[in-house]
Amino acid sequence: MTVTLSPLHIDCDFDSGNIQVLDASNPAQVQLAIRPDTHSGHYQWFHFKASGLTPGQVHRFSLVNAGESSYKQAWSGYHAVASYDQQRWFRVPSEFDGKALSFALAAEQEQVWFAYFEPYPRARHNQLIERAQQIPGVVLLAHGRSVQGRDIPLLRAGDGAVGKRKLWLIAQQHPGEHMAEWFIEGLIDRLQALDATVQQLLSKADLYLIPNMNPDGAFLGHLRTNFQGKDLNRAWQDASIEFSPEVFFAQAQMKQYGVDAFIDVHGDEEIPHVFTAACEGNPGYTPRLAKLEEQFRTTLCTHTRDFQTVHGYTRDEPGQANTTLACNAVGMAYDCLSLTLEMPFKDHDDAPNPHTGWSGARSKALAGAVLETLAAMVDDLR
Ligand code: GEM
Ligand code: ZN
């Protein structure tokens, strides 16, 4: 008796959804493509729902244009994430043949979500901002507006008293790097716990947090750019209300309140490790800043196995930094410790977790270690 399987229904009409259905007629081999960012050629982020699965049946999905994506070399060693409930995400063995990224799932339920990384939903962002404002000492200091008019909250933990250090953490300039807002959620969880380390840190410093710098891109399922097609992490020398209001807002707030340390939270497509990039290529870079960067890295290593200093980006040559990047622009403007913190889309191979790879939960835990690190070095920042 031949069993005819009905075609699957593929949907992405939701927050951070991104897929293009090429041919879903064969439920055993579904042909898909990733859609580029609006007004930009960048693409790599995908997120879609497949329904009509047959439990027990192996369904195979191919992203046929992966070989032309923004970071095509990053697909080797990468495994897609899946979830039956949008809460618990797990890795699905994937393979890249130079053109398509394919993954197969022996369905356990009739519907499943797939994504490039565990998505951070806008609804969860809204709840996070509400929850944060219930924490004693945390205020919504200001809010900017994205190109499409979405809210960009700036939170401050601390009273802003004169003499306190101003520590800034911004996240998800690159909208597909959802691990970044998971990180900020972990940081806010620690503020809510208000343990001794956090109390000690907040007695000397205020934290300025922008949990999502690019809400339009995140909602639209972009990898890299805002609604105008602008890479916000290349907009820090020429930000404008029209093309990059998100950066324009952040810079205005930094100018108003000052900056004593800055961490720009990102995700990296290719390197299977957690690492930082710093300001060694900035004009005016000093041994003081070099020492602070090294102190941050070595201290963070003592607080978590999910960080390392061997793998990362090539260091910039002296005076050769691209100062359109947030890390370099802020480090130069405020002569302060300034870092890009990178978490992997794959796994942190020094402490791998094959079931989840890098995940939202691990991003959250890393934030706690970063808070411990900032508390340990707050007296040395100036
Ligand atoms: C990166 S930051 C690149 C920093 N490079 C060096 N050599 N310091 C970007 O914006 O390209 C951050 C990211 O995309 O995650
Ligand atoms: Zn990035």
Side-chain angles (χ1 to χ4, degrees), residues 173-174 177 224 233 264-269 313 340 342:
Q173 287 198 87
H174 293 139
E177 298 166 12
R224 189 91 182 162
N233 204 29
D264 181 21
V265 188
H266 284 255
D268 182 83
E269 291 78 3
Y313 297 143
T340 302
E342 294 285 354

Side-chain angles (χ1 to χ4, degrees), residues 109-351:
Q109 298 186 30
E110 292 187 358
Q111 63 183 21
V112 67
W113 284 262
F114 291 106
Y116 187 36
F117 188 81
E118 184 177 358
Y120 195 92
R122 185 68 178 170
R124 191 172 181 128
H125 164 88
N126 295 336
Q127 290 161 1
L128 179 67
I129 301 306
E130 290 309 309
R131 174 160 65 94
Q133 294 176 74
Q134 304 309 313
I135 301 171
V138 178
V139 295
L140 174 59
L141 203 56
H143 54 96
R145 283 268 178 263
S146 67
V147 174
Q148 286 191 304
R150 289 185 175 87
D151 212 31
I152 301 174
L154 165 63
L155 299 169
R156 180 176 68 195
D159 55 11
V162 172
K164 290 178 76 177
R165 296 291 176 239
K166 283 86 75 176
L167 316 183
W168 285 75
L169 295 99
I170 72 172
Q172 219 163 333
Q173 287 198 87
H174 293 139
E177 298 166 12
H178 285 250
M179 59 285 281
E181 187 154 16
W182 283 112
F183 176 96
I184 299 290
E185 179 177 303
L187 197 146
I188 290 172
D189 285 357
R190 281 294 294 269
L191 292 175
Q192 191 158 18
L194 201 58
D195 51 72
T197 300
V198 171
Q199 289 180 46
Q200 182 254 325
L201 175 61
L202 293 179
S203 69
K204 298 178 178 177
D206 293 330
L207 296 181
Y208 292 76
L209 310 174
I210 301 182
N212 190 322
M213 279 284 293
N214 195 338
D216 297 348
F219 193 83
L220 294 167
H222 286 185
L223 171 74
R224 189 91 182 162
T225 62
N226 73 351
F227 184 67
Q228 290 280 25
K230 186 74 181 169
D231 179 341
L232 295 184
N233 204 29
R234 299 298 185 273
W236 286 71
Q237 293 300 332
D238 64 352
S240 73
I241 292 282
E242 184 186 5
F243 292 102
S244 46
E246 302 89 355
V247 172
F248 195 89
F249 164 70
Q251 289 182 313
Q253 297 301 316
M254 288 178 175
K255 190 172 180 183
Q256 178 171 351
Y257 293 102
V259 184
D260 294 310
F262 175 70
I263 297 177
D264 181 21
V265 188
H266 284 255
D268 182 83
E269 291 78 3
E270 184 175 9
I271 300 174
H273 290 92
V274 178
F275 61 96
T276 57
C279 294
E280 68 279 349
N282 274 4
Y285 184 64
T286 60
R288 178 182 78 89
L289 294 177
K291 184 171 177 232
L292 282 175
E293 291 164 6
E294 183 59 22
Q295 185 180 357
F296 180 90
R297 288 189 291 263
T298 51
T299 307
L300 184 54
C301 280
T302 68
H303 288 290
T304 177
R305 295 187 315 139
D306 277 347
F307 182 74
Q308 55 75 52
T309 59
V310 172
H311 306 277
Y313 297 143
T314 310
R315 287 170 63 87
D316 290 331
E317 290 301 316
Q320 298 306 308
N322 178 344
T323 55
T324 67
L325 274 70
C327 168
N328 297 332
V330 174
M332 207 159 64
Y334 295 95
D335 188 30
C336 67
L337 172 66
S338 182
L339 299 164
T340 302
L341 177 64
E342 294 285 354
M343 293 173 277
F345 278 97
K346 297 174 184 176
D347 199 346
H348 177 69
D349 282 0
D350 287 18

